């Protein structure tokens, strides 16, 4: 099986309008047998998106159309490729009940999904940690430094793994080292290997999969996958199930760096 399990779509409010068919036909051309569209799920309606354009998640009114469109495409391309209907669900501390309620409604329509951390809570406010290097560095200063920020991120990922989000909770953890996205902007050497291994072992113990996410390799201030290569090898060594994800928000980035991570 050759799978890309983390793909966005024209329903992404901060992505591109590239059509589903263009992603699907590129995947077939590149001999992928399985793909999962994992659009950003609508955020809880009572959560205030901290990004300037309030565009971190799909609009709630678009969710049904997204799923129905993919159902038709699954059938249309069934002879050529397996298309999974999925979502990238945000884990947000304090909004577990709302997230579980969404999953209870939409879960029966999903084939495969991802649970990710993008928002960090500090002093009752939330920050989208991967929005920009300026936001990232300002947040680190606010909470006491880069090391403190890394630990807060990893603590939040652990809470996402342990959270009770109901029977439709995603079984794959998205980019668990996203906090590295701007690591070359801060220039500090942070020794976080033990924290990453702690998370990977917890995922193994609780029967989760790892999103081996290639997008970081193309980010100016990251230049490594999430998680980094030595941690991917560690995941393999403990037999943690891993699934490649290009995290593509446009057709051009679909399957980016696949051959570097899966030779």
């Amino acid at each position: 099986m050759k799978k890309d399990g983390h793909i966005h779509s024209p329903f992404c409010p901060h992505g591109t309008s590239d059509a589903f068919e263009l992603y699907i036909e590129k995947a077939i051309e590149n001999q992928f047998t399985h793909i999962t569209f994992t659009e950003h799920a609508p955020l809880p309606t009572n959560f205030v998106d901290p990004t300037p354009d309030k565009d971190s998640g799909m609009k709630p009114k678009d969710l049904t159309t997204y799923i129905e469109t993919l159902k038709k495409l699954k059938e249309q391309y069934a002879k050529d490729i397996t298309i999974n209907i999925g979502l990238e669900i945000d884990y947000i501390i304090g909004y577990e009940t709302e997230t579980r309620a969404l999953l209870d409604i939409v879960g029966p329509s999903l084939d495969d999904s991802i649970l990710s951390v993008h928002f960090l809570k500090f002093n009752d406010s939330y920050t989208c940690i991967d929005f920009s290097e300026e936001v990232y560095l300002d947040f680190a200063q606010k909470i006491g430094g880069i090391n403190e920020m890394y630990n807060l991120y990893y603590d939040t990922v652990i809470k996402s793994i342990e959270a009770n989000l109901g029977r439709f909770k995603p079984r794959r953890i998205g980019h668990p080292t996203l906090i590295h996205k701007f690591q070359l902007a801060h220039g500090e050497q942070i020794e976080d290997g033990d924290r990453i291994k702690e998370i990977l072992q917890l995922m193994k113990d609780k029967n989760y999969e790892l999103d081996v996410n290639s997008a970081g390799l193309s980010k100016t201030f990251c230049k490594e996958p999430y998680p980094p290569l030595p941690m991917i090898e560690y995941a393999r060594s403990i037999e943690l199930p891993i699934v490649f994800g290009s995290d593509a928000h446009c057709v051009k980035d679909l399957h980016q760096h696949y051959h570097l991570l899966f030779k």
Side-chain angles (χ1 to χ4, degrees):
M1 182 173 70
K2 188 177 181 182
K3 178 175 179 177
D4 190 334
H6 190 156
I7 305 170
H8 292 276
S9 77
F11 283 82
C12 181
H14 58 264
T16 66
S17 59
D18 290 355
F20 279 117
E21 290 86 348
L22 295 177
Y23 289 97
I24 295 164
E25 287 162 14
K26 181 174 179 179
I28 294 168
E29 183 182 330
N30 284 272
Q31 299 180 314
F32 279 77
T33 58
H34 296 69
I35 55 173
T36 301
F37 286 100
T38 52
E39 198 45 77
H40 293 283
L43 299 176
T45 55
N46 56 338
F47 175 73
V48 178
D49 185 348
T51 64
D53 293 331
K54 307 287 188 285
D55 62 352
S56 297
M58 190 193 311
K59 295 179 178 66
K61 68 180 180 62
D62 290 339
L63 183 56
T64 299
T65 307
Y66 168 76
I67 291 170
E68 292 303 316
T69 302
L70 280 174
K71 283 181 180 177
K72 292 174 185 174
L73 290 167
K74 274 173 68 96
E75 292 183 17
Q76 181 181 336
Y77 286 95
K79 292 181 180 178
D80 301 308
I81 192 167
T82 298
I83 298 171
N84 293 314
I85 302 172
L87 289 170
E88 183 171 15
I89 303 290
D90 270 287
Y91 175 73
I92 308 171
I93 288 177
Y95 289 85
E96 291 86 354
T97 299
E98 292 86 343
T99 303
R100 185 164 59 247
L102 171 67
L103 286 166
D104 284 344
I105 294 167
V106 76
S109 299
L110 302 179
D111 304 309
D112 181 28
S113 282
I114 293 174
L115 185 66
S116 298
V117 172
H118 299 96
F119 302 104
L120 294 184
K121 182 181 181 183
F122 180 70
N123 285 347
D124 294 323
S125 68
Y126 295 85
T127 298
C128 182
I129 203 59
D130 67 319
F131 180 75
S132 70
E133 62 267 30
E134 291 83 10
V135 167
Y136 178 95
L137 295 172
D138 286 348
F139 184 74
Q141 187 174 30
K142 183 193 301 184
I143 72 166
I146 300 296
N147 199 63
E148 286 76 9
M149 179 173 66
Y150 274 43
N151 279 320
L152 178 59
Y153 187 83
Y154 295 137
D155 290 345
T156 307
V157 172
I158 288 172
K159 286 179 178 172
S160 78
I161 296 168
E162 295 179 333
N164 176 11
L165 298 180
R167 64 194 183 103
F168 296 109
K169 181 182 180 182
R171 302 307 302 173
R172 185 155 70 257
I173 302 299
H175 46 56
T177 62
L178 184 66
I179 199 65
H180 288 184
K181 182 173 179 179
F182 300 108
Q183 62 183 345
L184 301 179
H186 64 66
E188 295 185 29
Q189 186 67 39
I190 304 296
E191 299 296 335
D192 60 349
D194 287 344
R195 294 294 330 257
I196 299 169
K197 288 180 179 178
E198 174 191 359
I199 288 168
L200 297 177
Q201 186 62 58
L202 181 63
M203 290 168 58
K204 166 73 173 175
D205 294 343
K206 292 186 175 288
N207 299 312
Y208 285 87
E209 297 175 335
L210 169 64
D211 171 43
V212 172
N213 189 307
S214 64
L217 284 159
S218 295
K219 302 301 182 186
T220 303
F221 294 110
C222 186
K223 298 301 183 186
E224 68 180 23
Y226 316 118
L229 290 168
M231 293 298 122
I232 296 173
E233 290 308 311
Y234 177 77
R236 288 182 168 126
S237 76
I238 63 171
E239 299 183 336
L240 173 64
I242 62 178
V243 177
F244 171 78
S246 59
D247 205 350
H249 287 68
C250 62
V251 171
K252 178 178 68 68
D253 290 342
L254 187 66
H255 315 322
Q256 57 186 331
H257 312 296
Y258 176 84
H259 293 292
L260 177 63
L261 302 179
F262 289 75
K263 296 174 182 176

